[in-house]
Amino acid sequence: PEEIVIAEQTACVLKTDGSIQSFGNTSSYDTAQPTDSNYIKIVSSPDSTGNFAGLKHDGSISGWGATHYNGTDNFDLYKPTGTEFKDIVATNYKLAALHSSGTISSWGSGGNGTTTNYPPPTSGGWKEIIRGSGGIYVALNVDTSIAV
């Protein structure tokens, strides 16, 4: 396998051919795992009970798994659309994605049923995102500034 991601009772494997296979408690999935391939990265919220997202070669994002908080942490429903995303990170029921334009999108739940906790920076020029804990991520800008 290329990568293994675990979320409480479920594990997902990113295979070397870019396809994904899930193991464990997948009966609670509200959104089925993708059946296509060409994935380059998969992530899961460390506090999730089975919520996953994947980044594909074309820069598009897919989400699958179980949801909580009235569905606000649904990694597929609230994902950014389009392609050309360069990276994706997960932290406590939330995700952040770095677009090739240098902007950041974030979605998921703040743990209380909202999608607005820790909004992404509104400026551009971001070159890297790093997974944090407690619902945050760190972004590094080309001008050497940092956002949390």
Side-chain angles (χ1 to χ4, degrees):
E2 188 77 23
E3 187 172 11
I4 300 172
V5 177
I6 299 171
E8 199 168 285
Q9 301 172 1
T10 311
C12 282
V13 175
L14 175 60
K15 297 180 177 183
T16 54
D17 66 359
S19 64
I20 297 167
Q21 184 173 0
S22 296
F23 299 92
N25 183 17
T26 60
S27 62
S28 64
Y29 278 12
D30 299 308
T31 307
Q33 80 173 39
T35 56
D36 55 348
S37 57
N38 293 320
Y39 287 88
I40 58 173
K41 184 175 184 178
I42 55 174
V43 296
S44 178
S45 167
D47 292 339
S48 167
T49 56
N51 233 338
F52 299 88
L55 178 64
K56 294 181 78 170
H57 264 287
D58 68 359
S60 62
I61 297 170
S62 294
W64 65 97
T67 60
H68 310 281
Y69 303 112
N70 299 317
T72 58
D73 65 334
N74 185 313
F75 285 0
D76 191 56
L77 181 63
Y78 296 103
K79 71 178 184 248
T81 58
T83 58
E84 300 184 16
F85 287 94
K86 297 177 5 175
D87 198 7
I88 186 171
V89 296
T91 180
N92 296 31
Y93 297 103
K94 287 177 284 306
L95 294 160
L98 177 64
H99 194 270
S100 62
S101 67
T103 59
I104 296 174
S105 297
S106 66
W107 68 106
S109 176
N112 60 2
T114 68
T115 57
T116 57
N117 291 14
Y118 308 108
T122 55
S123 61
W126 301 101
K127 65 179 183 174
E128 186 176 358
I129 51 176
I130 302 166
R131 179 190 169 281
S133 63
I136 65 166
Y137 58 89
V138 176
L140 306 175
N141 199 295
V142 294
D143 68 4
T144 69
S145 62
I146 297 173
V148 178

